């Protein structure tokens, strides 16, 4: 994620199933979570990425590229 948006939910959909991740402030005492998500899909191709931003905004990326990092910002912000 291009901005620290705690509470953002990322879903990667494939033909077989969906994978979810949440951006949280930290998982334990004095910890931080990186604003990056890795989805190990193997040879499965993603059909779509859905990002639910805090406040209800949505971003959908159809047929996303594979084997690379995508930098995504909330709608209306630079880098989107």
């Amino acid at each position: 994620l291009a901005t620290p948006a705690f509470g953002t939910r990322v879903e990667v959909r494939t033909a077989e199933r969906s994978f979810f991740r949440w951006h949280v402030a930290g998982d334990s005492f004095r910890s931080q979570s990186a604003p990056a998500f890795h989805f190990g899909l193997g040879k499965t191709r993603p059909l779509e990425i859905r990002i639910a931003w805090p406040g209800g905004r949505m971003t959908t990326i159809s047929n996303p590229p594979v084997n690379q990092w995508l930098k995504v910002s909330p709608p209306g912000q630079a880098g989107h």
Side-chain angles (χ1 to χ4, degrees):
L1 301 176
T3 59
F6 301 120
T8 299
R9 179 180 177 265
V10 178
E11 174 187 5
V12 174
R13 290 185 44 237
T14 70
E16 293 83 29
R17 60 185 282 202
S18 293
F19 301 86
F20 301 92
R21 303 281 189 277
W22 290 89
H23 185 216
V24 296
D27 296 302
S28 62
F29 180 69
R30 298 185 118 185
S31 69
Q32 292 183 349
S33 297
F37 299 92
H38 175 263
F39 292 88
L41 302 177
K43 294 182 180 184
T44 303
R45 289 217 35 107
L47 301 175
E48 185 175 72
I49 299 173
R50 293 181 184 168
I51 304 169
W53 302 95
R57 294 175 292 176
M58 293 287 296
T59 299
T60 301
I61 303 169
S62 298
N63 300 309
V66 297
N67 298 323
Q68 60 185 288
W69 292 97
L70 303 177
K71 185 176 180 180
V72 183
S73 297
Q77 289 190 9
H80 178 71

